[in-house]
Amino acid sequence: MLLNRENISNAAVMIQPSLTTYSFNSLPQPALLDVASIGADRILLLDSYISVVVFHGMTIAQWRNLGYQNQPEHQVMNMQVALALDFLEYEPYMSRLTSLFVKAFAQLLEAPQEDAQMIIRDRFPVPRLVVCDQHGSQVSVFNPFHL
């Protein structure tokens, strides 16, 4: 019985998978295991004990594919940052805000990856790691109704 050998946290994940959401607007937080948790501006981390899925929303995936996390000189596309830039009249503030956005975006991309690696490192048997994007080819792995 695998359930008897695991700690309480892992045993609970076997029964009820956990879903954590990452976004610019808040710290990582638990989310409902429901389709409503999917958002274009979120990254979701699903732990179903036998697999760990990092799911990037459509906007996050597009920004990642364009390499925004590596390019401090890119045009800021985040609506909240763009609105903040409308209130600023000086160029030095714009470059500082852009670099803050790039740093925050890079950290947003790294946080679920680091958490996934922590889950994988501490568990036996080792779960399968799946990284997918909204509307991508591996998105069927993320369907919470197939867990």
Side-chain angles (χ1 to χ4, degrees), residues 93-126:
Y93 292 114
M94 290 177 64
S95 63
R96 181 185 293 160
L97 243 162
T98 302
S99 67
L100 286 174
F101 170 75
V102 170
K103 185 175 182 181
F105 184 60
Q107 290 172 347
L108 179 66
L109 288 176
E110 290 171 10
Q113 294 289 340
E114 291 172 357
D115 290 349
Q117 290 304 320
M118 225 170 29
I119 292 168
I120 291 169
R121 183 181 56 237
D122 296 339
R123 189 170 292 157
F124 183 81
V126 177

Side-chain angles (χ1 to χ4, degrees), residues 71-109:
Q71 301 174 4
E73 68 278 357
H74 76 80
Q75 293 293 329
V76 177
M77 302 303 285
N78 184 325
M79 184 58 86
Q80 292 174 340
V81 175
L83 288 173
L85 290 176
D86 286 342
F87 296 108
L88 300 175
E89 296 176 282
Y90 301 105
E91 184 65 32
Y93 292 114
M94 290 177 64
S95 63
R96 181 185 293 160
L97 243 162
T98 302
S99 67
L100 286 174
F101 170 75
V102 170
K103 185 175 182 181
F105 184 60
Q107 290 172 347
L108 179 66
L109 288 176

Side-chain angles (χ1 to χ4, degrees), residues 2-21:
L2 187 61
L3 191 60
N4 290 337
R5 288 183 279 171
E6 289 295 332
N7 62 32
I8 299 294
S9 175
N10 284 342
V13 169
M14 286 182 204
I15 298 166
Q16 173 70 43
S18 69
L19 184 64
T20 306
T21 182

